[in-house]
Amino acid sequence: MEEQTIVNALILGIVEGLTEFIPVSSTGHILLLGHFLGFESKGKTFEVLIQLGAILAILSVYFARLWNLLVTFPSDPASRRFVFGILVAFLPAAVIGVLAHGFIKEVLFESPQLICSTLLIGGIILLWIDRLPLKPRYTNVMDYPLSLCLKIGFCQCLAMVPGVSRSGSTIAGALLMGTDKRSAAEFSFFLAMPTMAGAFAYDLFKNRNVLSGDDAMIIGIGFVASFVAGVFVVKGLLNFVSRHGFAPFAYWRIAVGIAGFAGLYLMG
């Protein structure tokens, strides 16, 4: 295994953890960065499987909250409604992800031009939404009705296109449907757990016959880096969003999209 491959895996894992939970598209970032680094993984599995580190980052930070949901689920209607809401929101992505898996991995993941475009467009949309004079009707994720959860779940499906951002599409959709910024980001955290776990399990199953020991080691390096970086982001993001909104992420998306196009042009 080449030393440069290990370094690239470490860099991409850190980028995954730093970007998974903010509305900038972690997949778009690691695919675009991987393109410029010359990093290739079999079946693009690395880019999906290192998300397990980010999943564990949420679990570690929200363990007490998740445990409370588990304990109170049998007796508390609010806990049951919230858990069912997350599952309802997860269903659209689960169905579409399975049906479109091949197209996503073989076509959409292979287009850096598409990723740059969606980063730019998504940044402009996020900036527009952040500046709207929205009046929230829902400020607590425990109070989200199932109908709202389902609509947010359909918004998440837009993130099948790399560069759109899973958290970005769910947060933007939630804001337009009457949530406040903090609860929208928190709901996106919880929705990430089944969504990313499902993507991890399905992609691992689909590529189980092509992965080698070296692949497992590279994925493991990316996983650890993703976990460590993800913990820092999850711990601080809600407070950051409450103070600054989503405009900083919108500007970052636009900057990365422009830089990506410039890099592609220079590379011919």
Side-chain angles (χ1 to χ4, degrees):
M1 186 186 306
E2 295 183 4
E3 181 179 341
Q4 187 59 47
T5 301
I6 296 175
V7 172
N8 289 344
L10 182 61
I11 293 172
L12 293 172
I14 293 172
V15 171
E16 160 64 26
L18 292 177
T19 58
E20 179 59 52
F21 305 111
I22 61 177
V24 299
S25 179
S26 62
T27 302
H29 274 67
I30 59 177
L31 285 173
L32 198 58
L33 183 57
H35 175 79
F36 289 120
L37 291 174
F39 180 86
E40 290 288 339
S41 66
K42 295 176 182 176
K44 296 295 183 183
T45 54
F46 175 89
E47 292 79 357
V48 175
L49 297 186
I50 62 170
Q51 291 179 350
L52 179 62
I55 299 171
L56 294 182
I58 305 180
L59 292 175
S60 66
V61 174
Y62 277 87
F63 178 79
R65 183 85 173 269
L66 292 168
W67 180 256
N68 182 66
L69 284 171
L70 179 64
V71 171
T72 60
F73 181 83
S75 59
D76 185 3
S79 294
R80 288 198 296 272
R81 183 177 64 244
F82 177 70
V83 172
F84 287 140
I86 293 295
L87 293 177
V88 165
F90 162 67
L91 285 177
V95 174
I96 295 176
V98 170
L99 294 177
H101 181 268
F103 178 76
I104 294 168
K105 296 292 289 291
E106 296 168 15
V107 178
L108 299 182
F109 272 35
E110 298 294 339
S111 176
Q113 293 84 0
L114 172 65
I115 295 170
C116 293
S117 299
T118 50
L119 284 169
L120 274 170
I121 295 170
I124 294 169
I125 293 173
L126 192 62
L127 193 60
W128 169 68
I129 293 174
D130 194 64
R131 293 180 175 180
L132 288 176
L134 299 173
K135 296 181 179 180
R137 288 175 291 148
Y138 308 102
T139 58
N140 187 337
V141 290
M142 301 296 289
D143 297 331
Y144 282 16
L146 292 181
S147 58
L148 174 61
C149 296
L150 180 61
K151 293 173 185 175
I152 294 174
F154 278 112
C155 291
Q156 180 177 239
C157 295
L158 296 173
M160 302 287 179
V161 181
V164 170
S165 170
R166 186 203 57 77
S167 59
S169 58
T170 56
I171 290 171
L175 291 174
L176 291 174
M177 289 182 280
T179 73
D180 73 324
K181 293 174 181 178
R182 186 181 182 91
S183 70
E186 189 173 25
F187 188 85
S188 178
F189 283 170
F190 282 100
L191 182 54
M193 297 182 204
T195 302
M196 291 160 51
F200 172 88
Y202 188 71
D203 206 80
L204 182 61
F205 172 76
K206 294 287 287 185
N207 293 281
R208 64 193 185 281
N209 295 324
V210 299
L211 296 176
S212 65
D214 283 348
D215 295 320
M217 182 173 292
I218 291 299
I219 291 169
I221 292 169
F223 154 77
V224 173
S226 172
F227 169 77
V228 174
V231 168
F232 284 104
V233 173
V234 174
K235 284 185 174 181
L237 181 61
L238 293 182
N239 289 331
F240 181 89
V241 167
S242 297
R243 293 195 304 268
H244 304 288
F246 295 106
F249 305 119
Y251 288 123
W252 174 260
R253 291 179 62 107
I254 293 170
V256 172
I258 293 173
F261 272 125
L264 293 172
Y265 175 78
L266 293 174
M267 289 178 64

